[in-house]
Amino acid sequence: LTAGIQLKFKLQTRLNVGFSMSQRKQDAMFYGYTAYSLATVTPMPQKSLDGKSDVTMANVSFSSRPMEGLHVRAQYRMYDLKDKTTRFVIPGDFLGTAWANSSTTTDKFGFATANPYDTKSSRYSVSATYDFKALTLEGVLRGAQLERTHREAEKGTESGMGVTALYHSNEWLGVRGT
């Protein structure tokens, strides 16, 4: 399911909104001739991954020129993936000559990639530029948040700001300082 809308107003003002929801499934059979087929001692406990995940995404952006020389912009994005795959223990690795147990205390399903993997991120940015004849000044604020499960960095935040001055000495030369 995907939907979007763009609204246009006076003063070159635009509002864009996009939203998406999806359910992803993977039920293809595992390949018949793999390292697991060589290890007859411990076969795979099921015939396919039977993977399921739900994904939600939203984007919002706004821009306007409320007065001559001034341009403002704002953006927000959210992405949320919920891994709903039923987990099973991968019995181990067949390393050509021997079978090795792959389950550990941190990777109880056999491999790090077999653990549930949910991820959610959101980010925003806000900026404004103003033109004084040949000089453009710009200010930017931005930030982001990240949440994940069963990964080396389960949470994170980022924020920053910037100021830029751009002088247009002529049509083919500009000097920028940030």
Side-chain angles (χ1 to χ4, degrees), residues 67-98:
M67 56 186 264
E68 186 66 35
L70 178 63
H71 189 185
V72 295
R73 292 179 294 275
Q75 299 169 325
Y76 176 78
R77 175 183 168 87
M78 184 277 301
Y79 179 85
D80 188 5
L81 180 142
K82 299 278 190 233
D83 186 352
K84 296 184 171 187
T85 302
T86 302
R87 301 299 166 186
F88 61 94
V89 176
I90 296 173
D93 289 323
F94 186 73
L95 303 173
T97 57

Side-chain angles (χ1 to χ4, degrees), residues 124 141-144 157-161:
Y124 71 88
L141 296 172
R142 69 180 187 288
T157 59
E158 173 187 334
S159 62
M161 61 181 164

